[in-house]
Amino acid sequence: MTGLLIDPFQTEYMRRALVEVVLLGVLAGAVGVHVLLRRLPFFTMAMGHATFPGVVLASLLGIDLLLGAGLFGLVVILAVSLVSSSERIDETSATGVVLAGAFSLGVLLVATRPGFSRDLAAFLVGSVVTVRAGDVLGTLAIGAVVVAGLTALHKELVLGAFDRTTQAALGFPAAAIDVAFLVLLELALVASVPAVGTILAVALLTAPAAAARLWTDRLGPAMALGAAIGAGSGVAGLILSALWRVAAGPSIVLVATAAFGLSFLVGPCGGLLRGRRRAVMAAPAA
């Protein structure tokens, strides 16, 4: 049994992949709790698609694809914030319009780049087994920045997620805090791209956090547990992909989804079976 767990990591590229998925799992699990608190899964998924034109532009200009995705993502965040500041346009509508327009721009630009499909496929679905040492160092650096940002803004982010009226009454710059969190989210999203691609990144950013919230009501423990579930899903998915010779990204996401499914059944804070058990125990007393 031990051999089955160790053998896949005898090669250098698999060891790099292992470090990458652990770093990403910790990062995604911690950020994902705030994504759920602020009800941003849809925005996260849309941001993944909106970075598409950034990739195309980066390819046309001959610069790093992830750098292009990140920079364009920041432009999209500012555009959404600007449009949603109007009293006549709500945030959901602004998100839909801006992100749909951004994706359409990418589709238009890709026609000018023959042979781009290979780079695009890698960007959409990821390939963690081909990450380089620079990718791992980049993920480590991004993770440090994101964790530092979440730590510095912890009180403001939690207050804004639960009571925006009180946040504004206390004098906190709510709009600036929202933009700061969206920037941190974009960084986490871009860091996830080499491993799982933009299509699956939203699952990595939500499934471990959603599972963690079914085990604890406290924010700090939920972030720690989400990070642990994310890292564990990455390791388990990588092992399964090596043993069964299947794609690593989808394997990681399926393990994270299975962790959520198990938590949904037996989690003490809203699990389906736990809730039914409490209902059955309460029935005689009623």
Side-chain angles (χ1 to χ4, degrees):
M1 182 65 180
T2 303
L4 290 176
L5 299 179
I6 296 177
D7 287 346
F9 304 108
Q10 299 300 313
T11 58
E12 183 178 353
Y13 74 88
M14 284 297 289
R15 289 194 290 270
R16 283 199 303 268
L18 176 64
V19 175
E20 178 76 0
V21 297
V22 170
L23 290 175
L24 283 177
V26 171
L27 175 61
V31 174
V33 172
H34 285 282
V35 170
L36 296 182
L37 282 179
R38 302 175 79 86
R39 296 176 176 85
L40 292 176
F42 165 72
F43 183 87
T44 304
M45 180 175 64
M47 277 300 302
H49 289 78
T51 54
F52 174 49
V55 176
V56 181
L57 287 171
S59 178
L60 292 172
L61 297 174
I63 63 176
D64 184 77
L65 298 185
L66 293 183
L67 177 61
L71 292 177
F72 195 86
L74 295 180
V75 173
V76 171
I77 287 172
L78 293 176
V80 169
S81 300
L82 178 63
V83 175
S84 61
S85 64
S86 170
E87 295 182 356
R88 286 183 161 277
I89 303 176
D90 61 84
E91 185 175 353
T92 302
S93 299
T95 300
V97 171
V98 173
L99 299 186
F103 187 77
S104 299
L105 175 63
V107 173
L108 184 65
L109 289 173
V110 78
T112 67
R113 182 70 174 177
F116 183 68
S117 58
R118 180 179 301 177
D119 293 335
L120 176 60
F123 178 79
L124 292 176
V125 300
S127 179
V128 68
V129 295
T130 62
V131 296
R132 299 162 294 180
D135 296 323
V136 177
L137 292 176
T139 301
L140 181 61
I142 290 174
V145 170
V146 172
V147 169
L150 291 177
T151 302
L153 296 173
H154 179 77
K155 178 176 66 177
E156 291 84 353
L157 290 174
V158 174
L159 181 59
F162 286 104
D163 193 344
R164 293 182 65 84
T165 302
T166 301
Q167 183 189 42
L170 292 175
F172 291 114
I177 293 171
D178 289 344
V179 172
F181 175 72
L182 294 180
V183 171
L184 297 177
L185 174 58
E186 170 66 13
L187 289 174
L189 180 64
V190 170
S192 303
V193 168
V196 296
T198 58
I199 294 178
L200 300 177
V202 64
L204 193 61
L205 282 163
T206 55
R213 291 197 64 192
L214 290 166
W215 291 94
T216 177
D217 290 326
R218 299 174 59 193
L219 183 60
M223 293 178 67
L225 184 56
I229 294 174
S233 299
V235 175
L238 196 59
I239 292 174
L240 292 176
S241 73
L243 295 178
W244 294 346
R245 300 185 181 277
V246 294
S251 299
I252 292 170
V253 170
L254 284 175
V255 172
T257 304
F260 168 75
L262 178 63
S263 302
F264 180 72
L265 288 176
V266 301
C269 299
L272 185 62
L273 296 183
R274 290 295 183 93
R276 288 186 176 181
R277 182 180 177 184
R278 286 195 295 270
V280 170
M281 294 178 64

